[in-house]
Amino acid sequence: GRFVGISGVYCIPSHYEYERGRGVDQLSSLRAANGPGHDGFREASPVYRLECFDGANGEEECVLLSAEGDEDSREAMVLDNHVPDMLFVHGVDDNVVQYNQTNIIVDAIRSSLGEPGRCQEVLIENIGHADTVLHLMFGGVTRDVLSAQNLKICQDRPREP
């Protein structure tokens, strides 16, 4: 399978600070979903859900932690065999969610997986937040870039017999 992330918030604490700087933090849907303080922000952030450790065979293993429970009761899923190929797309001129959110999650995933090719990042110049999705739906730069990128991913991927 494949996963495509478009103009997303992947590190809630840093995005909330960005919203606070713009004066919209009290209206933020992140605040409503995660509570009035930063307590729930970190645990709900995809970038903080990755954890790496030395595995039983002495090699580093990376897991995705569930959000519920304490450290001992959390379910962990070893990422190596369960993570799809990923493509993250963001407009550089996005003033709703800064494009560094995509940089942050891609860096975390690449360092966790150790396979940079499975996680692609596409930053599109002169595209804002809504444009990223509208161009995908109705045609435009985003669709053109993603179509070319998707073909590249399909061509680079070995075919199964």
Side-chain angles (χ1 to χ4, degrees):
R2 292 195 185 111
F3 172 82
V4 178
I6 302 175
S7 301
V9 174
Y10 306 107
C11 180
I12 296 172
S14 70
H15 182 69
Y16 190 74
E17 288 306 315
Y18 174 66
E19 288 184 333
R20 186 187 316 244
R22 293 181 6 205
V24 296
D25 55 308
Q26 296 301 311
L27 304 172
S28 173
S29 58
L30 295 176
R31 186 174 192 265
N34 297 294
H38 285 268
D39 294 341
F41 287 5
R42 184 177 169 95
E43 188 162 323
S45 294
V47 74
Y48 294 113
R49 304 288 306 286
L50 295 168
E51 182 176 287
C52 295
F53 59 92
D54 288 329
N57 61 1
E59 293 181 18
E60 185 175 63
E61 291 183 358
C62 296
V63 298
L64 181 64
L65 298 174
S66 70
E68 300 298 323
D70 60 28
E71 205 62 40
D72 294 331
S73 67
R74 289 182 177 181
E75 295 175 24
M77 177 177 66
V78 176
L79 294 180
D80 292 338
N81 300 320
H82 301 285
V83 176
D85 290 341
M86 292 168 273
L87 174 63
F88 290 89
V89 180
H90 217 118
V92 173
D93 292 345
D94 190 331
N95 63 359
V96 176
V97 177
Q98 293 178 306
Y99 75 90
N100 75 334
Q101 288 287 318
T102 294
N103 301 144
I104 291 168
I105 192 66
V106 167
D107 289 346
I109 291 169
R110 284 181 176 165
S111 67
S112 295
L113 288 178
E115 298 178 48
R118 291 183 57 198
C119 184
Q120 303 288 322
E121 177 178 25
V122 176
L123 302 176
I124 305 173
E125 297 286 336
N126 303 314
I127 297 294
H129 191 72
D131 296 336
T132 307
V133 173
L134 292 174
H135 286 194
L136 184 60
M137 291 172 30
F138 301 114
V141 176
T142 305
R143 183 185 288 177
D144 296 343
V145 169
L146 288 181
S147 293
Q149 187 68 23
N150 191 31
L151 289 175
K152 180 179 182 288
I153 288 172
C154 290
Q155 291 168 354
D156 290 347
R157 183 178 206 160
R159 300 270 181 208
E160 292 183 21

